Amino acid sequence: MLRLGGTIDFDRVFCLTAGDLALLSIAFRITGASGPDGVPTDLTGTTCELVRRQPDGAWKYVIDHPFAGPART
């Protein structure tokens, strides 16, 4: 997705924590992007990620689903 370029705007949908795990979701909109063929494209969607806190306090992705749900308006 980073290769598409453009600008991303997002809103947090939820962040649920249980000990050293967190379930996250954002609604995003990417504008001004270019597809592999150079054609301008905009993307919208809702993500879902599962992250785990590491011993040093950093969070690392366990599961990253970038298009887990429909775009939000």
Side-chain angles (χ1 to χ4, degrees):
M1 289 179 63
L2 293 175
R3 286 184 284 191
L4 296 174
T7 301
I8 186 168
D9 293 302
F10 62 90
D11 294 306
R12 183 174 63 185
V13 177
F14 60 80
C15 176
L16 306 172
T17 59
D20 288 337
L21 294 175
L23 182 64
L24 315 168
S25 180
I26 63 166
F28 70 89
R29 176 173 287 114
I30 299 174
T31 56
S34 295
D37 53 4
V39 174
T41 186
D42 292 338
L43 295 172
T44 59
T46 302
T47 70
C48 187
E49 298 87 26
L50 178 65
V51 295
R52 177 179 289 129
R53 187 183 350 246
Q54 304 301 297
D56 67 359
W59 292 88
K60 291 192 177 179
Y61 285 90
V62 176
I63 299 170
D64 181 10
H65 189 352
F67 293 100
R72 292 174 50 135
T73 57

